[in-house]
Amino acid sequence: MASDDIAQLAEALSKTHVGDGELSYKGLGLKLDNAESAEELVREIEQHRGLRALRLEGNTVGVEAAQTIAKALESKDLLQRCYWSDMFTGRLRSEIPTALRSLGSALMRAGARLTELDLSDNAFGPDGVKGIEQLLKSPSCHTLRELRLNNCGMGIGGGKILAEALMDCHRQSSALGAPFRLRVFVAGRNRLENEGARALAKAFQLIGSLEEVHMPQNGINYAGVMALASGMRHNPELRVLNLNDNTFTKKGTLAMAQALRHLRNVQVINFGDCLVRSEGAIALAAVLREGLPILQEINLSFGEITEAAALVVAQAIVDKPHMEKVDLNGNCLGEEGCEALRETMEHMDKGDMLASLSDDEGEPDDEDEEDDDDDEDDASDDCQDENEEYGGIVKENGLNRIDDGPAKPESSAEIMSFLSCPSAEKLLQLGEMRTSLQQQVDAAEPHKAADVFLKIGSLYAEDLEVNTAVLETIDAVLKKLLSGPALQSYCFLSTLLIMMGLLKGEGKMKKALLVPGQLLCLEHAVQQEYFPQHHASLLHTFLSKNSEALKSCSSASERLSSALEKMCHDQH
């Protein structure tokens, strides 16, 4: 080794931090290629009795140097924390697994019991995960509490290997009577995609002790998000969930909302840049209403959320005493929408919690509004698919349907005849069987439920006897639909809003041909005891921001708006 190199290394090592059982070479820029270049560092490790933490981040370690360091670690049975991020800069990808195996084997031979392992910012790919696979399965990691593998390029293959290693660790540690209790898992920017996410979701479900999960920017879409939602539900101590910059869309957001209903300790939610959209935002607002009691921060930025949905989210945090930050930046509010959101937050005395809205995308263009008129023959099929998808989410996440009683009885021919072609005459002929219409709706099938409501409401007109029958039936149907968890009733209401043309949804859901009677039935319903005030507030928000959609029924629309206005005023 050249004398200049020795002098440079000596100077760098003079900056070594020693204290509290920690030996730190963090950020020294050491280039350790072989045994000779690592000689001084190895000596310091050997001489450090009671070594509990070793920081090697910000250096570059070759295979031979790693083997030399590993030999020094074989006697360090007290080592608990390995901060080894960004320590292979400039190394061939093929070198890194060998170096990692050497270091891992040394820890196992030493009988170390790790609590923290950080290998972030090492671009080692799936082969690098193989390099730590045996370590993760070994007793040295049975005690691991924090695992950080951010920006390692693991890919799908690496994600699967990692998941299996974590499950193996849990199984073996459980057999020994001290189950693996990982608390912090970090694996952002790893191209895990859906398959990697699904594999890790199974590991999360088995582990059950997670408090922080950070998996941003992994190319995960709704299928992987749904799997992760199932895994999260089994981790009741979860405090931080960061899935920024993946693609939720409606299906993923609904699944995640279902999971969050069961998690009472969540403090930070980061679903920014996840394409949550307005329907998803409404579902999350429902969870904010009825759960997440100690939430401090929610990030729904850059999610294509429109003004009315953003306002519903804001209104849902009114009773969150621990809330510190609400981020709705980069959505589609427009200038007036941004101002309305600020005013809403300030009115609740929470104005300082609202993050900047400087990157707002402006109100959405109307160019896609005609989409629902295209391919109308496919619309009913799409709605059928949507019901099946939502039912799958319900089943996947273990949420009971509102009707926990026996299965729906077979519908009579009269009921089916009415639903296929509703008329006032058929409704009256049903007599007491009208109550059976209640059994035809289930909040877990929001499109079908909204369709039944609109069919019944369309019959409200001039005839007093008919109107009485209509309102009695509407009351029975809505009382059932709105009696369950807020998440289910919010999903029903958002579907109804889409069919009424007050909310743009995903897919090709066919808009209903509105008649005044449907709005007058809603006017009646919102004044009933079974109709919660925050549901009325949701409807009022969308109606007030999109009143043009109901211009064909202007008189009935005004009556409904007036009733909603009174309900919201009474609430305040």
Side-chain angles (χ1 to χ4, degrees):
M1 190 175 187
S3 58
D4 287 349
D5 291 338
I6 294 172
Q8 188 178 1
L9 177 60
E11 183 184 357
L13 290 173
S14 70
K15 299 173 184 174
T16 302
H17 169 72
V18 181
D20 301 325
E22 179 179 286
L23 192 55
S24 175
Y25 302 92
K26 180 178 179 179
L28 297 184
L30 302 177
K31 192 171 187 296
L32 307 177
D33 296 322
N34 49 39
E36 188 181 4
S37 62
E39 193 175 309
E40 187 65 30
L41 182 147
V42 165
R43 187 179 301 115
E44 291 195 5
I45 291 174
E46 288 174 340
Q47 291 175 353
H48 196 296
R49 295 179 180 179
L51 183 65
R52 295 180 183 275
L54 178 61
R55 308 197 80 110
L56 294 175
E57 63 263 61
N59 300 290
T60 177
V61 181
V63 171
E64 190 181 329
Q67 291 168 341
T68 307
I69 294 169
K71 190 151 188 66
L73 291 176
E74 288 181 3
S75 62
K76 302 302 174 183
D77 60 324
L78 298 179
L79 187 61
Q80 296 176 332
R81 303 186 303 281
C82 296
Y83 303 109
W84 296 349
S85 63
D86 187 24
M87 67 174 212
F88 296 113
T89 302
R91 300 295 169 183
L92 294 176
R93 191 157 155 177
S94 57
E95 293 180 79
I96 301 174
T98 305
L100 288 172
R101 282 192 189 93
S102 298
L103 293 166
S105 296
L107 296 173
M108 290 186 278
R109 279 195 287 272
R113 293 292 183 266
L114 298 184
T115 57
E116 295 180 49
L117 177 60
D118 186 354
L119 288 165
S120 298
D121 301 316
N122 291 310
F124 48 52
D127 290 340
V129 184
K130 290 178 184 176
I132 57 170
E133 183 180 7
Q134 293 308 312
L135 172 64
L136 289 174
K137 291 179 177 181
S138 76
S140 288
C141 282
H142 288 184
T143 49
L144 196 64
R145 296 294 178 261
E146 299 185 16
L147 177 60
R148 302 175 191 275
L149 296 167
N150 202 57
N151 190 31
C152 290
M154 286 190 285
I156 294 169
K160 289 180 174 180
I161 296 166
L162 174 61
E164 191 54 51
L166 294 175
M167 288 191 286
D168 199 283
C169 181
H170 189 273
R171 284 190 287 264
Q172 291 190 37
S173 59
S174 296
L176 294 172
F180 176 48
R181 292 189 56 78
L182 189 67
R183 292 178 189 151
V184 177
F185 178 83
V186 181
R189 299 182 65 189
N190 270 293
R191 304 194 309 277
L192 294 169
E193 302 181 17
N194 289 340
E195 289 184 58
R198 282 195 185 105
L200 286 166
K202 289 180 182 176
F204 297 160
Q205 183 168 332
L206 181 65
I207 293 166
S209 57
L210 290 165
E211 296 177 15
E212 293 187 28
V213 174
H214 302 263
M215 295 176 65
Q217 207 173 337
N218 268 298
I220 305 168
N221 68 24
Y222 75 87
V225 173
M226 289 171 71
L228 288 172
S230 293
M232 291 304 107
R233 275 196 61 209
H234 293 82
N235 289 269
E237 299 305 313
L238 189 70
R239 294 183 296 105
V240 178
L241 181 57
N242 175 9
L243 294 173
N244 189 286
D245 199 8
N246 290 291
T247 307
F248 283 32
T249 59
K250 176 184 174 181
K251 299 174 206 172
T253 312
L254 281 177
M256 201 54 74
Q258 296 279 24
L260 289 170
R261 285 185 63 243
H262 302 270
L263 300 171
R264 310 290 293 176
N265 292 300
V266 175
Q267 296 173 353
V268 178
I269 294 171
N270 186 344
F271 296 162
D273 208 9
C274 284
L275 216 58
V276 164
R277 293 187 173 139
S278 295
E279 279 185 272
I282 292 170
L284 292 171
V287 180
L288 286 168
R289 283 278 185 187
E290 67 178 0
L292 302 170
I294 60 171
L295 189 68
Q296 296 175 5
E297 182 177 332
I298 184 165
N299 182 348
L300 300 178
S301 60
F302 300 93
E304 293 189 4
I305 298 169
T306 56
E307 175 189 355
L311 291 172
V312 169
V313 171
Q315 291 158 4
I317 67 162
V318 64
D319 294 321
K320 288 281 174 285
H322 304 282
M323 189 63 86
E324 296 173 3
K325 185 178 180 182
V326 179
D327 193 344
L328 288 161
N329 194 22
N331 283 298
C332 305
L333 310 185
E335 286 185 28
E336 291 184 8
C338 288
E339 190 55 37
L341 181 58
R342 290 188 193 99
E343 287 177 3
T344 297
M345 293 291 288
E346 286 168 8
H347 181 71
M348 297 187 300
D349 199 25
K350 297 180 184 291
D352 58 336
M353 296 178 192
L354 184 64
S356 167
L357 299 173
S358 60
D359 295 315
D360 187 73
E361 297 282 345
E363 293 182 59
D365 296 330
D366 293 333
E367 59 188 29
D368 297 326
E369 289 297 316
E370 303 304 316
D371 288 352
D372 292 329
D373 298 327
D374 299 333
D375 303 316
E376 285 194 2
D377 292 339
D378 299 330
S380 60
D381 293 336
D382 288 328
C383 294
Q384 179 68 27
D385 291 343
E386 183 170 303
N387 272 331
E388 290 172 3
E389 286 157 3
Y390 183 70
I393 291 169
V394 170
K395 185 182 246 182
E396 177 82 16
N397 288 279
L399 183 68
N400 292 327
R401 291 173 179 269
I402 287 178
D403 183 8
D404 289 327
K408 286 188 284 191
E410 283 295 316
S411 304
S412 68
E414 293 89 344
I415 292 284
M416 296 312 294
S417 173
F418 170 78
L419 289 174
S420 63
C421 188
S423 70
E425 184 182 4
K426 287 180 182 177
L427 184 66
L428 292 176
Q429 286 174 352
L430 285 175
E432 291 185 1
M433 275 200 298
R434 287 196 297 270
T435 56
S436 298
L437 284 167
Q438 183 189 46
Q439 294 164 349
Q440 301 305 308
V441 296
D442 190 324
E445 297 174 324
H447 179 264
K448 183 179 178 182
D451 188 51
V452 170
F453 169 82
L454 291 171
K455 282 178 176 177
I456 299 168
S458 68
L459 304 177
Y460 189 94
E462 303 294 332
D463 188 288
L464 182 60
E465 184 184 8
V466 172
N467 288 354
T468 301
V470 167
L471 293 180
E472 285 177 357
T473 312
I474 287 290
D475 285 341
V477 166
L478 287 182
K479 187 179 285 188
K480 179 182 180 183
L481 290 171
L482 303 180
S483 65
L487 178 55
Q488 284 192 335
S489 52
Y490 269 44
C491 286
F492 159 69
L493 289 174
S494 63
T495 303
L496 184 61
L497 288 168
I498 292 166
M499 295 178 73
M500 292 171 67
L502 294 168
L503 168 64
K504 181 167 175 56
E506 292 182 15
K508 303 172 186 171
M509 192 182 295
K510 193 174 179 181
K511 290 177 188 170
L513 183 62
L514 289 182
V515 296
Q518 295 156 331
L519 304 185
L520 295 175
C521 285
L522 267 181
E523 179 209 5
H524 161 81
V526 299
Q527 299 175 72
Q528 307 309 307
E529 284 188 8
Y530 64 74
F531 208 101
Q533 284 190 319
H534 62 93
H535 290 58
S537 177
L538 187 157
L539 289 180
H540 178 254
T541 299
F542 274 88
L543 194 59
S544 63
K545 299 300 176 185
N546 303 281
S547 56
E548 279 294 303
L550 304 180
K551 60 186 176 184
S552 62
C553 308
S554 57
S555 177
S557 175
E558 287 171 12
R559 284 180 56 176
L560 174 57
S561 294
S562 178
L564 290 168
E565 187 79 45
K566 184 177 185 302
M567 288 284 290
C568 294
H569 183 268
D570 291 346
Q571 184 177 3
H572 297 308

